Each structure stands twice: as structure tokens, then as C-alpha cells.
């Protein structure tokens, strides 16, 4: 069995817990804290498949299954990058009201050591919590992040064909 | 300043205080290399008492640089780089970060020169040749 690791990132966000919860669970607009991807699920409840797609729905970057939904404190799902042939891992978002705001913790578990998934999860976790803080506190990501997202759009043609959404139907089996 | 998250403006003193101690910086390095390490395992890396290590851990936790999670009866420790990232974001724009890292490259290149036999290697050699060609083109344009 491959060795796995747990990764944790945390930040205190000056805002309302309901606003943070909406940012991490919304499906009507792109989630700018999550690399501008649009979340999709059949239902916001355990057992539902969940995906992250590009706003034009052409590509699916992440697939998984919702494990736990306890609004507005805990959201957990399995996940796998469609670009990598690595096993599923688990992400949990914990929200706790603290003096002056919301303590937001992102926990990634069962991350297979030495894989592309581990590399992306390590860099991505800190980016997500930092960007989420910017969005809730200022209404938008930092300029550098917005430029990065514009670059994503320009480089969309480099996305591997195996990430095309037709290969990852939401209705299909999503967890192994 | 309007775009700056408010909490980055005045919540940094604890982070700077925590980082101002070499043992605490060493603890962060160990946690970065071994995420989820227990307190006992961490203390084993130091000659000081476990109480002293716990004291440093408390300061690191209060600053947000260390996260401790209960896993059964064990307390797992993780390095949280987000407070340092917030400090970086506070004083460094994306353009400043780009040029700052270039200046750092120059510093390291001067302070740690490559041995003569590797300077002509493919990457370094190619880069030097590209720079030389570019400078040459600039000179020709100036003279034209």
C-alpha cells in the first residue's frame, strides 16, 4: 500500500461563517478560491458525486463523492485530479467561529506521497485558504490571482484530453 | 491598501515574534519535512527538555504557524505556511515578487559561483549565449 500523508492549512477570515460556507459550497458562480472552477453536485448531501469544472463546462478538473455536510461547520468529500492517475484522497473544510471571524481549516488526507496529486495538494491548499480569505474580506482575489486565472483561460488548450467533461459524467460512478 | 485583507495589517506581530527564534524555526523545518509528527517525536530532535519544546510549540500555535490536530490519543503537528504567505502578500506585489526573486538569483549566483567545468554546461552555457546575443543585438540597434 502506498504511503500517504495528511496536509493542513488554516487561516482566520474576518467575515461571517455563512459567507465562507457559501463560498465553498456554491454552484451558481465559479469558486474563485478554487482556481476559478465551478462546483457541481447532484445534491449537497453525503453520497452525491461532486465535481469541479471549468466555467464553460468543457473540462472537469476534480471528481469525488460528498462524505459529510454539516452546515456551516464541516464539508468533506473524496477527490481525485482527473489529470493524474493517482488514487482518491479526502478533503475536509472545517469552519469555526472565533473572536473576530471564522477559523477556516483545510485538511487533506490519504494524499499519496511522491505523486503529482501530493505536489498539487501541497501548493493548492495554502493557495485556497489564502484566496478564500481575500475573497471574503475584500470581495475579490488579489490582482496576481486574477492575472493567474486569466492565464488559465488563455492556456485552456493545453489541458489534457482525458480531462474533457464527456469522460467524467456527473451521474457516473465517481469514486473508484 | 483598500484591497488588502484587514487582518494582514495588524495581526503579524505574533508571527514575527515566533519566527525570531532559531529553535522555533528549526521546529517549523521539521514539521514541514514530517507533517503529522507527534510532540514526543518532535522533542526527540532537541537536546532541550520536553517542557522547553512545548513552550516553543505553544508560541508557534498562537501565531498560527503550527496546527495541532488530535488523532486518537496522539497530537499531530503540522506546519501552516499561510501566515508567512500573508506577510509576503502584504509587502510584495506579484511584480515585486518576480523581480525580487530575480535579484535573489543574482545574489546566489555571485555568492555561489559554479565550478568552471560546469559553467559551460548546456543550461548555463545556453543562457549565457542567449544573453550575449541579446546584448549584441541591442548594441547593433544603438549604433544603427
Amino acid at each position: 500500500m502506498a504511503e500517504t500523508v495528511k496536509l493542513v492549512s488554516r487561516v482566520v477570515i474576518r467575515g461571517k461563517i455563512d459567507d465562507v460556507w457559501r463560498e465553498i459550497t456554491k454552484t451558481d458562480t465559479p469558486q474563485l478560491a478554487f482556481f476559478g472552477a465551478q462546483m457541481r453536485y447532484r445534491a449537497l448531501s453525503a453520497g452525491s458525486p461532486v465535481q469541479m469544472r471549468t466555467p464553460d463546462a468543457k473540462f472537469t478538473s476534480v471528481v469525488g463523492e460528498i462524505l459529510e455536510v454539516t452546515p456551516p461547520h464541516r464539508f468533506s468529500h473524496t477527490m481525485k485530479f482527473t489529470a493524474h492517475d493517482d488514487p482518491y484522497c479526502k478533503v475536509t473544510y472545517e469552519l469555526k467561529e472565533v473572536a473576530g471571524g471564522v477559523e477556516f481549516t483545510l485538511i487533506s488526507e490519504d494524499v499519496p506521497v511522491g505523486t503529482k496529486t501530493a505536489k498539487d495538494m501541497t501548493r493548492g491548499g495554502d493557495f485556497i485558504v489564502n484566496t478564500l480569505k481575500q475573497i471574503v474580506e475584500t470581495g475579490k482575489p488579489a490582482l496576481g490571482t486574477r492575472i493567474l486565472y486569466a492565464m488559465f483561460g488563455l492556456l485552456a488548450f493545453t489541458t489534457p484530453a482525458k480531462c474533457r467533461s464527456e469522460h467524467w459524467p456527473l451521474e457516473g460512478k465517481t469514486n473508484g | 491598501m483598500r484591497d488588502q485583507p484587514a487582518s494582514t495589517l495588524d495581526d503579524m506581530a505574533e508571527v514575527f515574534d515566533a519566527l525570531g527564534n532559531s529553535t522555533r524555526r528549526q521546529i517549523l523545518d521539521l514539521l514541514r519535512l514530517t507533517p503529522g509528527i507527534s510532540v514526543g517525536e518532535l522533542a526527540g530532535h532537541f537536546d532541550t527538555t520536553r517542557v522547553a519544546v512545548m513552550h516553543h510549540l505553544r508560541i508557534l500555535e498562537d501565531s498560527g504557524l503550527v496546527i495541532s490536530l488530535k488523532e486518537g490519543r496522539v497530537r499531530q503537528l503540522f506546519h501552516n505556511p499561510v501566515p508567512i504567505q500573508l506577510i509576503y502578500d502584504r509587502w510584495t506585489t506579484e511584480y515585486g515578487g518576480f523581480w525580487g526573486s530575480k535579484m535573489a538569483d543574482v545574489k546566489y549566483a555571485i555568492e555561489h559561483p559554479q565550478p568552471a567545468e560546469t559553467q559551460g554546461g548546456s543550461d548555463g552555457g545556453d543562457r549565457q549565449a542567449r544573453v550575449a546575443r541579446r546584448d549584441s543585438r541591442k548594441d547593433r540597434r544603438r549604433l544603427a
Side-chain angles (χ1 to χ4, degrees):
Chain A
M1 191 175 165
E3 194 186 348
T4 61
V5 70
K6 186 195 277 190
L7 305 165
V8 185
S9 301
R10 177 178 286 166
V11 76
V12 173
I13 300 172
R14 294 196 173 173
K16 295 176 184 163
I17 195 166
D18 289 337
D19 292 342
V20 180
W21 178 260
R22 173 176 155 69
E23 274 302 320
I24 63 169
T25 57
K26 67 183 182 181
T27 57
D28 54 342
T29 56
Q31 294 199 352
L32 296 180
F34 293 81
F35 304 94
Q38 193 127 6
M39 181 176 267
R40 284 162 51 94
Y41 43 72
R42 258 188 275 163
L44 187 55
S45 57
S48 168
V50 61
Q51 293 185 345
M52 300 301 283
R53 286 188 169 179
T54 50
D56 63 9
K58 279 185 183 167
F59 297 99
T60 299
S61 54
V62 168
V63 292
E65 181 180 307
I66 295 177
L67 299 173
E68 183 184 343
V69 182
T70 310
H73 297 291
R74 193 176 167 89
F75 179 37
S76 176
H77 61 84
T78 62
M79 69 153 282
K80 162 186 170 55
F81 293 110
T82 58
H84 307 328
D85 297 323
D86 296 328
Y88 281 80
C89 49
K90 175 185 169 186
V91 289
T92 302
Y93 310 96
E94 289 184 347
L95 289 68
K96 189 169 106 182
E97 285 180 298
V98 294
V102 181
E103 183 184 86
F104 177 79
T105 307
L106 168 55
I107 304 169
S108 307
E109 294 172 88
D110 306 327
V111 180
V113 172
T115 60
K116 289 177 181 173
T117 295
K119 198 173 166 188
D120 286 355
M121 297 290 270
T122 304
R123 288 185 305 196
D126 301 333
F127 179 87
I128 287 168
V129 298
N130 194 13
T131 309
L132 185 65
K133 178 180 173 69
Q134 290 162 1
I135 291 168
V136 174
E137 293 185 355
T138 71
K140 59 186 176 186
L143 176 62
T145 303
R146 301 202 299 274
I147 292 172
L148 182 72
Y149 288 172
M151 293 299 292
F152 284 171
L154 294 172
L155 296 171
F157 68 92
T158 65
T159 309
K162 64 180 173 182
C163 301
R164 293 192 72 87
S165 292
E166 59 255 35
H167 303 311
W168 305 96
L170 185 68
E171 293 75 21
K173 191 179 179 188
T174 58
N175 199 4
Chain B
M1 296 293 272
R2 207 171 44 213
D3 281 353
Q4 200 68 41
S7 53
T8 64
L9 298 175
D10 52 16
D11 286 351
M12 297 171 180
E14 281 185 310
V15 180
F16 282 115
D17 285 346
L19 290 170
N21 177 285
S22 64
T23 302
R24 292 198 282 270
R25 293 195 295 272
Q26 206 179 336
I27 289 174
L28 291 181
D29 285 337
L30 284 165
L31 297 190
R32 192 170 58 82
L33 291 171
T34 49
I37 192 173
S38 69
V39 177
E41 287 171 323
L42 178 71
H45 286 272
F46 296 92
D47 291 333
T48 53
T49 63
R50 188 182 168 110
V51 173
V53 173
M54 294 287 284
H55 169 72
H56 287 306
L57 270 178
R58 193 161 50 248
I59 292 171
L60 287 166
E61 266 195 81
D62 289 346
S63 69
L65 288 163
V66 164
I67 299 171
S68 124
L69 297 179
K70 269 266 198 192
E71 183 78 24
R73 286 164 54 187
V74 179
R75 202 153 69 98
Q76 294 182 324
L77 302 168
F78 299 90
H79 167 42
N80 181 30
V82 175
I84 297 173
Q85 181 66 44
L86 293 175
I87 289 172
Y88 177 86
D89 291 348
R90 169 70 177 80
W91 277 287
T92 313
T93 66
E94 56 280 2
Y95 302 109
F98 175 78
W99 290 112
S101 72
K102 294 290 173 205
M103 293 303 286
D105 287 347
V106 171
K107 170 184 161 67
Y108 290 126
I110 292 170
E111 289 179 352
H112 306 284
Q114 292 289 306
E117 61 268 28
T118 62
Q119 272 190 347
S122 59
D123 191 31
D126 286 352
R127 191 179 303 130
Q128 284 176 353
R130 281 198 301 274
V131 170
R133 282 198 297 273
R134 191 186 62 204
D135 290 348
S136 165
R137 281 198 300 274
K138 278 184 185 169
D139 287 345
R140 283 202 299 274
R141 276 200 298 273
R142 254 202 311 273
L143 290 171

